Amino acid sequence: MLVIEGIVEEVIFRNESNGYTVAKLNTSDGVITIVGNAPFINLDEMVEIEGDWVYHDRFGEQFNFNRIKTTLPSTLKGIENYLSSGLIPHIGPKTAKKIVDRFGMDSLDIIQYNPERLKEIPGIGHKKLEKITKAFEDHRELREIMVFLQQYGITVNNGIKIYKKYGRETVKIISENPYRLSEDIHGIGFKTADNIAKKMGVHNESPFRVEAGLKYIMMNSGGDGHCYLPKEELVNKAVKLLGVDAEAIEDAIRILALRQNFHIVKEDDATHIYYMPYHVAENNVARKIIELSRVDFGQLDLDIEEAIKKIEEEEGIYFGNKQVEAIKESIKNGVVIITGGPGTGKTTTINAIIKIFEDLGLKVVLAAPTGRAAKRMTETSGRESQTIHRLLEYSFMDSDEEMAFSRDEDSPIDGDVVIIDEASMIDILLMNSLLKAIDPGTRVIFVGDVDQLPSVGAGNVLKDLMDSGCIRVVKLDEIFRQAEESMIIVNAHRINKGELPILNEKDKDFFFISEKDSLKTLDTIISLVRERLPSYYSLDPIKDIQVLTPMKKGDVGINSLNKHLQAALNPRDKSKAEKQVGDQIYRVGDKVMQIKNNYKLKWKILNEGIIIEEGEGVFNGDLGYITEIDEEENTLTVLFDEEKEVVYEFSDLDEIRLSYAITVHKSQGSEFPVVVMPIHWGPPMLLTRNLLYTAITRARELVVLVGDLKYLNMMINNNRITKRYSSLDKKIKDFLNPLINPSI
C-alpha cells in the first residue's frame, strides 16, 4: 500500500448516496486522479490517502484509495470551501464568504475557540450561533467516525443516522455488535449489517448473527402482516438466510424465547413462534374487547324509533333496514363493528349515531388511523376528528429518545363513545394501545370496509374481530339510489362480487383506455394527468389527480411514473431550487409523501408568518408539497395537509418520496378527486381483486384505468387473499369460553 499527501484541486464527481468520489489531487510529484469513498473532502483541503495505482481503460492511470485522512484547510479559499460545503448545517456559501471575509485565516479558530465573535457577522444571532458551534463540533467528530464507517461501505446518509443515534459511542457499539444497526437504524437491514460484520471478521455461526437473523425474519414477517410464523417456516427461512444448520437455529429460538424476544405457542401438532410484542398485543386486545363488549348499559331514557324518525324528518332522508339495525346495536352494545362498501350509507349512519348520543348528553370522540382519514371524518361529520396517535397523545416521555402514548389505563380517553373510522387499517399494536386507553363502560364503534386491503402492519384485526363471532357486526349492503348514479360505486360492488365493471358509459365517471404496451400506457397516463383531464374537467394536475399503481418497479411502477410525471408536471426551472439525493431530485413544487412514522418531526401552522399552532409527528402516508429548499441551512420544507409546515434536514430526505404516483397500499385511508391507474402485468400477489377494489374506492369523482383488459379480468378473478398468521379471533374465543361456561 502506498501513502500519498496532497491538496484537493478539483472534485470531478461525487455520489451523494455512498460518498464515491473522483478528484484531482495536487501532490509534490504533480496532479493525479484519485478515486474512492470520500464524502467529506472539499476543494483546497489537505489529505493523506492510502491505496494503490490502477489503470482504467477509459480514464487511464488513477490512484484507488481505501483510507483517507483529512486535515483542516490552510488557505482562505480552502476554508471558504470547507465551510460552504454543506456538511456543516446552517452555514451555506453566503455565510461562509462573510465569515472568511471578516476573520480570514483565523475563521476556523474563531468558530472553535471564540465562537461568540460570529455574532459580528450579519445574520448570525444567538440561536444560529448555538447551532453553528454545535454543528462544527459534531462535524469534527463525525468526520472521524465516517472514516471508520466508510471502510465497511456505509453510505453517507446512513453514516449520519448512525452518528445521530450512537454519537461518540458509534465505533464502540458497532465493533461490539454490528447487528445492532439492523434493529436501531432505519434504512439499514440485516443484510447490510451482515456485510459489515463479515468485513469485521464475525464468524458465520456467531450467536449475534444467528439471533439478529431470526429477529430480522420475524420483524419482516410483521411487515408482511404476520403476528407469528410456524416454527418450520421460520427455521427454513433462517437456514436459507444464514447458511447455518437447523439445530443452531432452534437453539437460538429457545434462547430468544428465554430472553422474551420471542414467544413459543404449541397448538395440537403445530408450533407457532411469535415476536413477543405481537403476542402480548393479541392477548391484551382479546381480553379488552371481551371486557368492553360485556358491559351492561341498562335502560336509556330514549325511544330509539322516535329518535331515528326525528333525524329522518330533520335531514330529509330515509334509513334502510341495515342502517336502523346499526344505529340500534350501537346504542345497546359496548362494542359494534359497522362495515360496508361505498354508497351503503356508513357516513349517514355514523352521523345519526353521533347525534343520538349527543342528544343524550354523552361525549362522542372521533378518530381514524391516518391524518387524511381523520380530516375526511371531520368534513363529513362536522365535528372534530383526529388521528388515533393524536387521540392517545403520543409524545416524548422522560427522555428525548423515548416516545409513548400518554393515554392508557391510568389516563383513559375522556369520552362516553369512541367511534373509529377506517378500522381495516388498524394493526394489532395500534389496536392494543387504543383499547388500553378506553375505560369499560365506554361504547366503541369500529367503522370500516373489510373488503379493502388489510393493515400495513401486523395482524388482521378487523377481520379477526368479525370472525370471532363474539362482537356485534352489522354489514350495510344496500346501495342507495343517489349512489347508484356513480359508476365508481356501482363498479366497486361489481368488482367485489367478481363481476366485470361497466366501462366508458357516456357522461359517467369510470373509464378504461386500452393500451397493451406498457410504455404506451406510461405515455397515455402522462398525457391524461398533464393535459387531457385538467383541460376537460378543470382540474389541478398535481393536487386533484392521484396516480395509483400496484407495484414499485417496471415501466408503470412508482419509480418510473414519478420520474416521468415530475418531468411533465414540475420540470427543472432556474427559478425553482432543487436538491439531489442519490438518483432522486427533489424540487420546489414537488408532491411528496412521508414513508415512515416519525414522531419527533416538528410541525407548525402559520398565519401571515405568525405561528398559531405547533406539534410533533409526521406519519407514514402523509402527503404534502415542497415549498422551500434552503442550501444555506441544508433544509427542505414540506407543507402537509395544506397547513402543517415541516422542515427536514438534507440527511433525513430518505423519509420522503415523490408521490405523483403512489402504491395502492400507501393510498389506504385517503381519498382523491381523481384516480388514474395502470393495468398491466405484475406479480399475481399484487394483481388481486381487493387491491383493485381498494384503488377505485379511493376516488370521489373520476376513475380512469389505462392498460390491458386481460389484466383487469385477471385482477377481478384473482380473489386470493394472502394468508396472514394471526390468532386474535381464536384468543377472543378462548378468553370468552370460561366466562360463558365457568365450569370449563
Side-chain angles (χ1 to χ4, degrees):
M1 290 282 181
L2 300 173
V3 177
I4 295 176
E5 289 185 346
I7 296 173
V8 179
E9 189 172 90
E10 180 185 1
V11 177
I12 299 169
F13 169 80
R14 175 180 288 148
N15 185 322
E16 296 291 345
S17 64
N18 61 23
Y20 179 78
T21 301
V22 180
K24 293 288 187 184
L25 190 69
N26 195 339
T27 73
S28 57
D29 294 323
V31 177
I32 63 172
T33 301
I34 63 172
V35 296
N37 282 328
F40 291 114
I41 66 168
N42 298 291
L43 293 177
D44 299 315
E45 194 165 33
M46 176 69 77
V47 298
E48 178 186 280
I49 56 176
E50 183 179 328
D52 285 309
W53 290 100
V54 295
Y55 187 84
H56 192 283
D57 290 340
R58 183 176 172 190
F59 300 112
E61 197 172 46
Q62 300 174 329
F63 191 83
N64 189 345
F65 62 88
N66 52 36
R67 183 186 67 81
I68 184 166
K69 180 182 178 182
T70 63
T71 60
L72 291 175
S74 56
T75 67
L76 287 176
K77 188 62 178 171
I79 293 170
E80 185 177 334
N81 287 334
Y82 172 73
L83 291 176
S84 65
S85 64
L87 295 170
I88 302 177
H90 318 295
I91 297 182
K94 293 176 183 176
T95 304
K97 188 173 188 315
K98 290 177 185 177
I99 291 172
V100 173
D101 286 348
R102 179 70 183 86
F103 300 119
M105 294 300 298
D106 296 327
S107 296
L108 299 179
D109 286 340
I110 292 289
I111 295 174
Q112 187 169 1
Y113 302 114
N114 194 9
E116 282 292 322
R117 290 198 61 194
L118 288 178
K119 289 183 180 177
E120 297 173 23
I121 306 298
I124 298 182
H126 179 69
K127 287 186 178 179
K128 191 167 185 177
L129 172 65
E130 284 185 345
K131 292 177 181 178
I132 290 173
T133 51
K134 184 179 185 306
F136 184 77
E137 281 305 309
D138 288 348
H139 182 59
R140 284 163 58 88
E141 197 171 73
L142 177 59
R143 286 171 71 96
E144 295 171 8
I145 288 171
M146 282 304 301
V147 170
F148 168 79
L149 297 176
Q150 280 173 50
Q151 63 186 314
Y152 302 114
I154 295 174
T155 66
V156 178
N157 281 342
N158 281 337
I160 292 170
K161 286 183 193 173
I162 292 167
Y163 176 73
K164 284 181 177 178
K165 176 70 177 176
Y166 301 140
R168 61 185 58 187
E169 296 291 308
T170 297
V171 175
K172 178 176 178 288
I173 289 170
I174 294 175
S175 298
E176 287 176 353
N177 181 9
Y179 293 101
R180 279 190 58 178
L181 294 170
S182 61
E183 296 181 39
D184 294 343
I185 310 299
H186 173 69
I188 296 184
F190 171 79
K191 292 178 182 178
T192 301
D194 199 32
N195 286 332
I196 295 167
K198 285 176 182 175
K199 290 177 182 177
M200 288 181 164
V202 176
H203 194 268
N204 217 33
E205 295 186 1
S206 159
F208 281 140
R209 180 172 186 267
V210 178
E211 290 169 16
L214 283 165
K215 289 179 186 177
Y216 166 75
I217 292 167
M218 290 302 293
M219 289 168 76
N220 263 14
S221 72
D224 292 334
H226 304 304
C227 291
Y228 68 83
L229 286 179
K231 181 182 175 183
E232 185 179 353
E233 185 173 330
L234 174 59
V235 171
N236 289 340
K237 284 176 180 282
V239 168
K240 185 176 179 181
L241 174 72
L242 299 169
V244 300
D245 60 45
E247 188 177 344
I249 302 296
E250 294 194 20
D251 286 344
I253 290 172
R254 284 191 287 272
I255 290 168
L256 288 166
L258 286 171
R259 290 186 194 147
Q260 298 196 329
N261 295 115
F262 290 178
H263 183 79
I264 300 172
V265 175
K266 293 188 177 181
E267 288 185 2
D268 302 324
D269 296 329
T271 301
H272 300 158
I273 311 298
Y274 272 89
Y275 182 49
M276 183 61 85
Y278 300 145
H279 170 68
V280 172
E282 277 197 344
N283 284 347
N284 290 346
V285 169
R287 287 194 189 95
K288 195 61 183 277
I289 278 289
I290 292 166
E291 185 180 21
L292 291 168
S293 64
R294 288 174 63 83
V295 172
D296 182 3
F297 291 97
Q299 290 294 317
L300 286 172
D301 183 18
L302 173 71
D303 184 331
I304 296 179
E305 300 287 352
E306 187 62 33
I308 292 172
K309 184 178 178 183
K310 181 182 176 185
I311 293 172
E312 288 179 326
E313 290 172 354
E314 288 176 352
E315 301 293 331
I317 58 176
Y318 175 75
F319 290 113
N321 292 334
K322 284 295 182 73
Q323 287 180 298
V324 170
E325 181 185 346
I327 295 168
K328 290 179 177 179
E329 295 299 330
S330 297
I331 292 167
K332 290 190 295 185
N333 292 280
V335 181
V336 172
I337 295 172
I338 300 173
T339 184
T344 57
K346 292 195 298 293
T347 298
T348 310
T349 303
I350 292 304
N351 287 344
I353 291 168
I354 293 169
K355 181 165 181 14
I356 289 171
F357 280 129
E358 287 181 342
D359 286 348
L360 288 169
L362 300 179
K363 182 176 181 180
V364 181
V365 176
L366 309 180
T370 68
R372 294 179 72 85
K375 187 176 181 181
R376 196 168 74 249
M377 200 178 188
T378 297
E379 292 167 352
T380 57
S381 69
R383 294 159 177 85
E384 182 191 4
S385 176
Q386 54 196 316
T387 63
I388 296 173
H389 281 82
R390 193 170 181 188
L391 173 65
L392 299 180
E393 297 178 13
Y394 199 82
S395 59
F396 292 110
M397 291 291 103
D398 296 333
S399 74
D400 283 349
E401 293 302 315
E402 264 190 62
M403 297 191 71
F405 293 110
S406 298
R407 295 287 180 183
D408 56 18
E409 305 96 322
D410 299 323
S411 179
I413 295 166
D414 179 21
D416 302 300
V417 183
V418 176
I419 302 177
I420 306 294
D421 200 7
E422 295 287 358
S424 64
M425 297 180 65
I426 304 176
D427 62 36
I428 192 66
L429 296 180
L430 184 57
M431 181 62 82
N432 180 35
S433 297
L434 173 64
L435 295 184
K436 272 184 184 179
I438 298 178
D439 260 347
T442 304
R443 290 175 175 82
V444 185
I445 301 165
F446 295 109
V447 186
D449 187 345
V450 76
D451 294 316
Q452 288 186 24
L453 292 169
S455 62
V456 174
N460 211 7
V461 178
L462 185 64
K463 187 173 186 302
D464 280 354
L465 290 176
M466 294 171 66
D467 289 348
S468 72
C470 303
I471 299 161
R472 190 71 185 90
V473 177
V474 181
K475 184 163 187 177
L476 306 179
D477 52 15
E478 178 187 352
I479 305 176
F480 288 90
R481 189 176 304 157
Q482 62 268 30
E484 288 178 347
E485 296 297 312
S486 167
M487 296 311 298
I488 295 173
I489 291 173
V490 170
N491 284 336
H493 288 274
R494 290 178 66 90
I495 288 167
N496 208 22
K497 291 187 284 188
E499 300 172 4
L500 281 173
I502 299 167
L503 304 173
N504 302 335
E505 290 267 302
K506 187 179 179 184
D507 297 327
K508 292 293 185 178
D509 54 11
F510 199 105
F511 297 94
F512 186 90
I513 299 174
S514 181
E515 288 288 3
K516 294 188 182 297
D517 181 82
S518 59
L519 286 174
K520 287 183 178 176
T521 295
L522 175 64
D523 289 341
T524 300
I525 288 173
I526 293 166
S527 173
L528 283 166
V529 177
R530 179 176 55 192
E531 301 149 1
R532 292 162 62 179
L533 294 177
S535 171
Y536 191 84
Y537 293 98
S538 300
L539 300 169
D540 183 312
I542 296 178
K543 293 186 176 180
D544 294 334
I545 304 173
Q546 184 61 57
V547 178
L548 302 181
T549 181
M551 62 207 79
K552 294 180 180 179
K553 297 180 181 179
D555 295 331
V556 288
I558 57 169
N559 297 334
S560 170
L561 282 163
N562 274 316
K563 177 182 175 183
H564 288 88
L565 287 166
Q566 181 191 44
L569 302 177
N570 190 30
R572 180 165 288 168
D573 188 308
K574 288 181 180 179
S575 66
K576 291 181 179 179
E578 60 181 51
K579 170 66 179 175
Q580 182 157 357
V581 180
D583 297 331
Q584 182 61 70
I585 294 173
Y586 294 105
R587 188 173 295 134
V588 169
D590 276 337
K591 185 178 184 179
V592 294
M593 172 181 278
Q594 175 79 10
I595 61 167
K596 62 166 283 194
N597 289 336
N598 186 330
Y599 306 106
K600 296 183 181 181
L601 264 181
K602 292 179 169 54
W603 53 262
K604 57 188 176 184
I605 298 175
L606 302 174
N607 184 10
E608 296 182 354
I610 298 170
I611 298 174
I612 59 172
E613 188 178 350
E614 292 181 283
E616 292 169 339
V618 182
F619 303 107
N620 188 358
D622 285 353
L623 286 167
Y625 305 91
I626 298 175
T627 58
E628 184 181 7
I629 296 174
D630 190 333
E631 292 284 354
E632 282 284 306
E633 297 293 323
N634 295 324
T635 59
L636 179 150
T637 303
V638 177
L639 189 68
F640 288 102
D641 295 328
E642 299 181 1
E643 60 176 7
K644 292 181 181 177
E645 191 175 274
V646 177
V647 178
Y648 292 83
E649 293 184 8
F650 284 166
S651 60
D652 293 326
L653 292 185
D654 61 342
E655 292 192 10
I656 61 172
R657 291 285 184 276
L658 292 181
S659 62
Y660 298 100
I662 61 176
T663 61
V664 178
H665 285 82
K666 288 288 188 185
S667 74
Q668 287 176 268
S670 298
E671 194 175 72
F672 311 99
V674 178
V675 164
V676 177
M677 182 177 176
I679 304 291
H680 269 280
W681 179 90
M685 63 181 292
L686 291 178
L687 300 189
T688 62
R689 183 188 299 174
N690 68 339
L691 184 139
L692 177 63
Y693 173 80
T694 301
I696 66 173
T697 55
R698 300 306 90 206
R700 277 199 311 271
E701 299 167 16
L702 180 69
V703 169
V704 183
L705 307 179
V706 185
D708 193 330
L709 199 57
K710 77 175 180 182
Y711 291 113
L712 182 65
N713 290 333
M714 186 184 297
M715 293 181 83
I716 293 166
N717 292 326
N718 182 8
N719 199 30
R720 183 180 69 184
I721 297 173
T722 305
K723 165 70 177 171
R724 288 188 166 208
Y725 295 119
S726 64
S727 294
L728 178 60
D729 54 345
K730 183 180 183 304
K731 287 180 178 178
I732 291 173
K733 292 173 188 174
D734 289 346
F735 282 130
L736 188 61
N737 280 335
L739 296 174
I740 298 173
N741 303 298
S743 60
I744 293 177

